[in-house]
Amino acid sequence: MKTSSFRFIIIYLLVPTLLSACSPSSAPSTQSVPYKEVLSGKKTVPSEQGQYLSMTYTEYVNGKNTDKGMVMRVMTYDLSSKKITKLADVPYTSQYPLSLVSLPDHKIYYSADVDDKGDQLFSYDLNSKKTEQLSDNLFAINRIVPTTPEGPLILAAVKKGERTLKTIFYNKSTHTMQFLHDENQDKHTWSIAYNPAKKTIYTTQFSEKEQDKRSDIASKNNTFTMPASYKVTEINNATKQERSVITLKNEQILSMSSSNDQLLLVTARFINHGNPEYSLVDIATGKRTKLELPISSRSFIYMSPDGKGIYYLGSASQKNQEEGRGVYYYDFTSKIQTPIFIQEEGFINNFMLLNK
């Protein structure tokens, strides 16, 4: 189901309409503060460790010529040198263009269609220039998140013959997959984040049955659709032990990232309607603090390693999300939005902040 229009597609057939939101359940009431007031007392990761952005950019092979199809141009942006490097073009045949550069592995991981029967996980070796198919039992992939160099890749993906977006651990050594709660056909894994400082994984999940009920209510009443509850769960990377962090009701978690002791959430009050809202969640206590950010972004937002700003995919204009769409850095102190990479002929589909 490849599309020629440059739109952010989250495998629409698999999930009931695009989902919406949540508000804290059993959690302290939220408060709204400028971000710089939240920074005090928080530990930050030294920027010298070496971080980079992995970016996926879809573009027609020959300019605007649609006859020859499209490719995913896979790039990195080094936070220290501020240099953008194009690493490779990989085929864009999947339902949603998704790639990830793992510099520790010297590989690009990406999704691609196999025989028009669904998308599988592939790798492209940056040294040998060889491509390898890593899975044969999937149908679609929404997220690919690395952990440690020796640790697994975490996927949000759908198995062949099923509908549910599941949390999947891919073992790079044994080339095997572990499906978390494989028997559950109702809970969809919407977002995945990895916290390198804590070596923990965070997932957001919602119930398809609950979302269907809310969609039916909205249709009957001719109102905007309220989202199902979204639950954020912490998973230990080694033991796979799980712990509930926070549950949101009447808000959709559009995107999530994690650094140090916090989760950064992007939420919305209705499905496919309304402006996004931003907040921080203390991982230990579940306390949530709303953020006032003068940006326009619905997904892919990451705290800078030094905690002084954020990297986000969106626009410099709060009124028009398509105006100057690209990857930006927003500085909390100067309040300046610095463009890193602006889409021109193609479309920026996603990006991720990673450690070297």
Side-chain angles (χ1 to χ4, degrees), residues 45-333:
V45 178
S47 57
E48 307 85 59
Q49 283 190 357
Q51 285 79 25
Y52 65 100
L53 306 181
S54 170
M55 297 186 286
T56 304
Y57 185 68
T58 46
E59 190 174 5
Y60 288 113
V61 176
N62 184 21
K64 297 182 179 181
N65 185 348
T66 61
D67 296 335
K68 295 186 178 181
M70 300 165 65
V71 295
M72 289 188 284
R73 304 203 187 282
V74 186
M75 301 175 290
T76 58
Y77 172 80
D78 187 275
L79 269 59
S80 297
S81 67
K82 302 188 183 331
K83 180 182 177 182
I84 292 180
T85 304
K86 177 190 165 185
L87 296 178
D89 287 347
V90 296
Y92 170 26
T93 60
S94 54
Q95 299 170 73
Y96 167 59
L98 180 63
S99 73
L100 166 76
V101 179
S102 175
L103 292 182
D105 292 351
H106 306 288
K107 289 182 179 180
I108 296 172
Y109 297 100
Y110 65 99
S111 59
D113 174 76
V114 177
D115 299 327
D116 291 325
K117 295 180 180 179
D119 301 338
Q120 301 300 332
L121 180 65
F122 282 76
S123 69
Y124 174 80
D125 193 296
L126 294 171
N127 294 328
S128 67
K129 314 300 182 188
K130 292 183 178 179
T131 299
E132 182 179 6
Q133 182 177 334
L134 304 179
S135 71
D136 59 10
N137 58 346
L138 302 179
F139 172 71
I141 305 173
N142 263 27
R143 299 283 188 270
I144 306 172
V145 178
T147 55
T148 61
E150 60 282 349
L153 297 174
I154 313 300
L155 311 180
V158 179
K159 291 173 68 175
K160 280 183 178 179
E162 297 185 359
R163 291 173 46 88
T164 313
L165 281 161
K166 295 181 177 177
T167 305
I168 304 171
F169 293 81
Y170 175 78
N171 189 307
K172 293 177 290 186
S173 299
T174 62
H175 302 286
T176 56
M177 288 188 172
Q178 177 185 355
F179 293 80
L180 205 61
H181 305 301
D182 195 18
E183 72 288 348
N184 193 321
Q185 298 298 319
D186 179 53
K187 298 290 185 181
H188 288 277
T189 298
W190 193 244
S191 298
I192 298 176
Y194 179 68
N195 188 315
K198 292 180 171 293
K199 292 184 171 55
T200 47
I201 300 146
Y202 298 89
T203 65
T204 63
Q205 291 186 313
F206 70 93
S207 164
E208 180 176 350
K209 292 178 181 178
E210 183 185 354
Q211 189 58 61
D212 285 345
K213 289 179 181 178
R214 297 199 174 207
S215 297
D216 289 342
I217 293 172
S219 179
K220 291 177 182 178
N221 298 332
N222 195 26
T223 58
F224 297 124
T225 304
M226 298 287 288
S229 299
Y230 276 66
K231 181 181 180 181
V232 180
T233 302
E234 178 185 83
I235 306 173
N236 184 285
N237 191 35
T239 66
K240 307 299 187 294
Q241 183 175 354
E242 299 178 44
R243 180 182 71 87
S244 178
V245 178
I246 189 173
T247 297
L248 305 185
K249 294 181 179 179
N250 303 323
E251 288 177 89
Q252 177 187 7
I253 298 182
L254 300 170
S255 180
M256 172 181 65
S257 61
S258 178
S259 61
N260 301 303
D261 300 321
Q262 298 172 321
L263 299 172
L264 176 57
L265 303 182
V266 185
T267 59
R269 297 288 173 176
F270 302 99
I271 293 185
N272 294 336
H273 183 80
N275 295 324
E277 299 177 359
Y278 312 100
S279 60
L280 284 176
V281 174
D282 185 286
I283 290 174
T285 65
K287 180 180 179 181
R288 187 179 178 204
T289 305
K290 292 291 184 69
L291 302 182
E292 298 172 0
L293 299 177
I295 66 172
S296 179
S297 178
R298 301 186 70 84
S299 57
F300 304 110
I301 300 181
Y302 300 90
M303 195 72 64
S304 65
D306 57 12
K308 295 181 180 180
I310 56 171
Y311 295 92
Y312 73 94
L313 174 59
S315 169
S317 168
Q318 287 184 281
K319 296 181 180 179
N320 184 355
Q321 295 186 22
E322 297 302 316
E323 180 181 331
R325 187 178 186 277
V327 176
Y328 289 83
Y329 173 73
Y330 173 71
D331 186 277
F332 294 132
T333 303

